[in-house]
Amino acid sequence: MNTNIEFNKNEDALKLKVSDLKQRLAKIHLGGGPKNIAKHKEKGKLTARERLDLLFDKDAPRFEMGEFCGYDMYEEYGGCPGGGVVVMIGYVCGRQCIVVANDATVKAGAWFPITGKKNLRAQEISMENKLPIIYLVDSAGVFLPMQDEIFPDKEHFGRIFRNNAVMSSMGITQISAIMGPCVAGGAYLPIMSDESLIVEGTGSVFLAGPFLVKAAIGETVDQETLGGASTHCEISGVTDYKMKDDTECIKTIRTLFDKMGKKERAGFDRVEAKLPLLDPKEIYGIMPDSAVKPYDMHEIIKRIVDDSEFTPYKDDYGKTIICGYARIDGWAVGIVANQRNIIKTKKGEMQLGGVIYSDSADKATRFILNCNQKRIPLVFMQDVTGFMVGSKSEQGGIIKDGAKLVNAVGNSVVPKFTIICGNSYGAGNYAMCGKAYDPRLIVAWPNAKIAVMGGEQAAKTLVQIQVSSLKAKGEEITPEDEKVILDNIKAKYEKTTTPEYAAARLWVDAIIDPADTRKVISMGIEAANHNPEFRAFNPGVIQT
């Protein structure tokens, strides 16, 4: 065990962040809170998380995405914990799938704008990986006060049903359980699924509820007669299975899943998994407590990969990016990772850690091309402050070399997975497979920072602009005034760089404990292995 004082200091700092993360998640998992949970259960219904516990195989791994979705948002409406929906990748009867469960304790499961984004992300994961999807529906429909931000646009509510149709044509299994209200346009989701179940007494599905029917055509009708289980299983034929309660409904879904045939796989290489020789929990002590202190990324990698075995590619060239091959939980992977150590080149030059230089970009580009050629999934480990700037770099063609790297990442056809271990700044975010570059999963550690540039640099830039503007108006600015402006700008800017801020807006799929990194990558590659279809790899025009 490492007893170094710096190691212990780092360990305490990161463990504190992980502990804080778990405390926040415990609160988020309560959804609408104890009172709303009690009201929900009085109706004879299980909560979304109880339903998921019954549905998934016991003791099998799970990955929940979007837990921080909506965090610190919509406060004027009382908030929207988890975006009002729970999304998990897990196993049902040994088959990996993704499940979307409305949390009816949060505003009756109504759809906020971020709810729509989270649902679409779940469907995107299903489509990219050809992963079966289960919908546990319990929602009052669109949150009317914000209907203009969820209803009409391309990536809004209607895109869900468009995706239902496309996913069906792709042969992706979709099963829906109507376990509460399912209203208006939302009624199409379960009925556009392959099979639908409905729970007696609590489940209902209709295009217009009793009040709207009365207002529209003057008919007085109760909810059960209009769209309950008996109506749709015995008269309309809209739904396929009538269930007496939530428990029977979940059991029946498992029975349906148990009968599914196996389909062709992508064929990513996997052997028997081995644990790392070095303890993954030592990552806590290796990762510095400051975003600017150096450390050796090799030591992080050794605590994530099988047997702590890593085969570096061009190890003595382009040292601010580490590339190489390894296995994670048995899966073959290519790793592209930023190196935050300060590097001394053979020419005696010092290269700043976490910065991408021309040689590093060139190396990473070639490595990514190789992994595509050999069908090896890519894992990006981000701790990057951007590309090197200055006259020497510009004259050396840093833009050209950076463009080559961005091109290779953008056109890559093998599955990509991104772990934001520390900084994720500027164009470095793009080159290291940020959200815009279609990683199958993108997650952040609790110490991550995501922004166009660091808080200190950004704040000083913004202060210069603001002070110049005030002076142009004839105002006198003292050094003390300038410091107040700097502190205010820095505080506001840095709030927008936190992993919680990013996760609330689904810029990352989750904030994870670093010790869970292996599990997330392994489950992600297993999901990707469901989709055997590859387009031809063509990086297009690359400047040399």
Side-chain angles (χ1 to χ4, degrees):
M1 187 68 177
N2 195 324
T3 57
N4 180 277
I5 293 174
E6 191 68 26
F7 181 97
N8 293 337
K9 185 180 173 185
N10 293 339
E11 184 179 42
D12 288 345
L14 189 47
K15 278 188 172 180
L16 192 61
K17 282 185 168 69
V18 171
S19 175
D20 182 57
L21 169 69
K22 290 178 178 177
Q23 288 177 35
R24 294 187 195 194
L25 288 176
K27 187 175 180 182
I28 288 169
H29 290 174
L30 289 174
K35 287 184 179 178
N36 285 333
I37 290 173
K39 288 178 184 177
H40 180 84
K41 294 175 78 69
E42 281 170 9
K43 299 172 185 174
K45 303 200 299 188
L46 299 173
T47 65
R49 292 183 181 278
E50 287 172 335
R51 290 166 177 167
L52 289 165
D53 285 339
L54 273 179
L55 179 62
F56 284 128
D57 296 347
K58 305 299 180 198
D59 302 321
R62 302 181 202 174
F63 168 62
E64 181 171 354
M65 61 147 291
E67 289 170 283
F68 273 91
C69 176
Y71 186 75
D72 273 350
M73 296 169 67
Y74 312 119
E75 293 302 312
E76 66 273 34
Y77 299 112
C80 184
V85 64
V86 183
V87 176
M88 286 189 193
I89 299 174
Y91 299 83
V92 175
C93 298
R95 291 161 169 81
Q96 193 182 43
C97 61
I98 186 165
V99 183
V100 179
N102 295 116
D103 185 352
T105 70
V106 179
K107 294 289 189 294
W111 287 54
F112 283 73
I114 202 68
T115 315
K117 188 172 182 179
K118 186 171 178 179
N119 276 264
L120 287 169
R121 176 61 178 146
Q123 288 186 320
E124 180 183 35
I125 290 171
S126 175
M127 286 189 283
E128 283 179 332
N129 301 293
K130 289 204 165 180
L131 200 61
I133 188 166
I134 298 169
Y135 307 98
L136 305 182
V137 185
D138 192 348
S139 171
V142 166
F143 185 62
L144 289 177
M146 302 190 74
Q147 64 84 25
D148 59 317
E149 295 183 46
I150 180 62
F151 172 68
D153 208 350
K154 180 180 178 181
E155 298 296 329
H156 282 177
F157 195 56
R159 189 74 171 184
I160 302 286
F161 321 128
R162 174 266 185 195
N163 285 351
N164 288 140
V166 170
M167 291 160 75
S168 182
S169 74
M170 294 170 67
I172 297 170
T173 298
Q174 300 178 81
I175 294 176
S176 286
I178 303 164
M179 309 181 84
C182 186
V183 186
Y188 289 109
L189 183 146
I191 312 311
M192 293 185 75
S193 299
D194 301 338
E195 294 180 279
S196 60
L197 307 87
I198 186 167
V199 178
E200 289 185 273
T202 56
S204 60
V205 55
F206 32 63
L207 294 181
F211 293 119
L212 185 53
V213 168
K214 178 71 174 174
I217 63 172
E219 180 186 359
T220 301
V221 61
D222 65 84
Q223 182 165 297
E224 196 63 26
T225 303
L226 185 64
S230 295
T231 293
H232 287 310
C233 285
E234 299 172 23
I235 301 172
S236 73
V238 165
T239 51
D240 304 313
Y241 305 92
K242 182 168 67 173
M243 302 286 102
K244 67 180 181 183
D245 56 26
D246 283 9
T247 301
E248 184 184 59
C249 185
I250 296 295
K251 183 179 178 181
T252 303
I253 294 173
R254 287 184 57 83
T255 300
L256 296 173
F257 247 66
D258 185 49
K259 310 297 186 298
M260 290 196 322
K262 291 197 170 126
K263 297 184 179 180
E264 185 185 352
R265 295 292 189 257
F268 301 124
D269 189 65
R270 192 180 198 185
V271 299
E272 186 178 347
K274 295 180 181 178
L275 293 173
L277 286 178
L278 301 174
D279 187 355
K281 290 190 176 176
E282 289 182 351
I283 291 172
Y284 300 137
I286 295 167
M287 200 73 203
D289 64 345
S290 164
V292 296
K293 288 182 181 177
Y295 68 96
D296 188 352
M297 179 61 88
H298 289 96
E299 296 303 317
I300 300 288
I301 292 171
K302 288 176 186 176
R303 286 157 177 83
I304 291 173
V305 302
D306 290 15
D307 222 18
S308 298
E309 189 176 283
F310 179 68
T311 305
Y313 172 81
K314 290 184 181 286
D315 202 27
D316 294 322
Y317 177 74
K319 290 187 175 184
T320 63
I321 290 184
I322 298 167
C323 298
Y325 302 103
R327 290 190 182 272
I328 293 178
D329 199 30
W331 295 104
V333 297
I335 295 175
V336 181
N338 301 112
Q339 174 63 288
R340 209 159 87 188
N341 260 352
I342 297 172
I343 305 298
K344 187 174 183 179
T345 69
K346 287 188 175 179
K347 294 180 181 179
E349 299 170 330
M350 302 303 290
Q351 291 189 341
L352 297 173
V355 177
I356 301 175
Y357 289 78
S358 284
D359 54 358
S360 302
D362 181 64
K363 175 174 84 171
T365 299
R366 180 63 181 269
F367 180 73
I368 290 166
L369 298 181
N370 282 339
C371 286
N372 275 272
Q373 182 87 341
K374 295 189 283 187
R375 282 203 177 182
I376 299 175
L378 285 159
V379 175
F380 292 84
M381 301 185 69
Q382 286 197 15
D383 192 349
V384 58
T385 52
F387 286 86
M388 190 58 191
V389 297
S391 60
K392 185 176 180 181
S393 292
E394 297 293 358
Q395 290 166 14
I398 187 65
I399 297 176
K400 176 183 68 177
D401 294 318
K404 286 193 291 188
L405 177 54
V406 170
N407 189 314
V409 173
N411 282 306
S412 185
V413 297
V414 295
K416 298 169 289 193
F417 302 90
T418 302
I419 316 296
I420 303 177
C421 306
N423 300 315
S424 179
Y425 292 154
N429 171 282
Y430 303 157
M432 292 295 294
C433 197
K435 184 67 183 286
Y437 289 79
D438 299 321
R440 298 293 178 97
L441 292 173
I442 177 170
V443 298
W445 289 356
N447 56 303
K449 294 283 185 184
I450 305 165
V452 72
M453 65 177 73
E456 192 71 39
Q457 301 97 307
K460 286 179 179 178
T461 302
L462 292 168
V463 164
Q464 288 173 13
I465 295 169
Q466 193 166 329
V467 168
S468 296
S469 175
L470 291 170
K471 286 181 176 177
K473 294 176 183 176
E475 296 186 33
E476 187 177 333
I477 305 297
T478 66
E480 290 76 17
D481 294 333
E482 197 166 320
K483 185 180 184 307
V484 170
I485 294 171
L486 175 64
D487 290 344
N488 288 339
I489 289 175
K490 188 177 177 183
K492 185 177 178 181
Y493 184 89
E494 294 210 334
K495 184 181 177 182
T496 67
T497 71
T498 65
E500 292 84 3
Y501 191 89
R505 290 152 182 82
L506 293 176
W507 301 342
V508 296
D509 292 316
I511 308 170
I512 66 166
D513 183 336
D516 290 334
T517 303
R518 274 173 58 85
K519 180 190 84 170
V520 172
I521 294 170
S522 176
M523 290 186 71
I525 298 174
E526 184 178 350
N529 202 40
H530 282 78
N531 188 354
E533 296 175 9
F534 277 82
R535 62 179 171 83
F537 178 58
N538 179 5
V541 177
I542 295 182
Q543 276 193 307
T544 56

